[in-house]
Amino acid sequence: MARQFAALDTALDDAIELPAGPNGEVYRIEGPSAEDGLRIERIMTLATRLAAGGETPEAEVLDDDAELDLYKAALGSSYDQLLAELSWPRFKHVAMTVVFWITADLDTAERYWASGGDPSRMAPNRATRRAGTRSSGTAAASKTPRRGSTSGTSTRTAKPRAAKA
């Protein structure tokens, strides 16, 4: 028998709400159509590949019109209202936050939002990075060979432990 899943409405939010107005106004942006979502994914995948490879593209990945088309696809029916009511920096930040929400997830969008658009602030902080790469004392000790016996006479063997019941 096939496994029964909960209705998608209970597991997925089809909109994002961002407090972007100069007076704290919250804008609700609905998720894009599947076609627009796929197009946004393709554009961001290309841009990510270029950035990861450190390549300088032969031509602009997005000219001004293509950039606005990307934002229009991401913002959908909210595009005109946001364009009319927000300054360019706020508009672009909202649009890119929505793009991250569409192409990654809500957590990535929240990190971008909190970064103010500064990519270096999206990376985990130094303490988090260091904690993620730090090994435990036990693991570190197992990698370090023990100092050999200085007496040179014999080695002791450990007695087997009795199993606990």
Side-chain angles (χ1 to χ4, degrees):
M1 182 168 168
R3 187 176 205 170
Q4 185 68 25
F5 285 83
L8 194 53
D9 291 348
T10 62
L12 184 67
D13 195 356
D14 289 340
I16 186 170
E17 294 182 351
L18 300 171
N23 298 314
E25 297 89 350
V26 176
Y27 294 93
R28 181 178 172 87
I29 295 102
E30 300 292 328
S33 68
E35 185 177 334
D36 284 342
L38 288 170
R39 190 168 52 118
I40 293 165
E41 287 268 356
R42 278 192 303 269
I43 292 168
M44 292 304 290
T45 299
L46 173 62
T48 302
R49 283 183 187 155
L50 289 171
E55 300 174 28
T56 304
E58 298 294 322
E60 285 185 17
V61 175
L62 293 177
D63 61 18
D64 291 342
D65 290 337
E67 183 178 10
L68 289 176
D69 285 345
L70 171 68
Y71 297 160
K72 187 175 262 191
L75 298 173
S77 61
S78 301
Y79 177 87
D80 290 329
Q81 178 186 9
L82 292 166
L83 190 62
E85 295 178 7
L86 299 179
S87 65
W88 172 247
R90 285 176 182 266
F91 175 85
K92 185 174 181 177
H93 193 65
V94 167
M96 286 306 300
T97 300
V98 173
V99 167
F100 280 113
W101 170 61
I102 292 166
T103 59
D105 54 37
L106 189 57
D107 290 336
T108 304
E110 285 176 331
R111 281 197 321 274
Y112 180 80
W113 182 263
S115 77
D118 180 354
S120 67
R121 289 178 51 199
M122 277 189 70
N125 66 31
R126 183 175 183 214
T128 303
R129 288 191 314 267
R130 291 183 75 196
T133 59
R134 202 177 287 162
S135 58
S136 70
T138 305
S142 68
K143 292 179 184 177
T144 306
R146 287 188 172 176
R147 185 174 177 178
S149 171
T150 56
S151 70
T153 56
S154 67
T155 59
R156 287 180 27 180
T157 58
K159 293 181 183 178
R161 292 184 180 174
K164 290 184 180 180

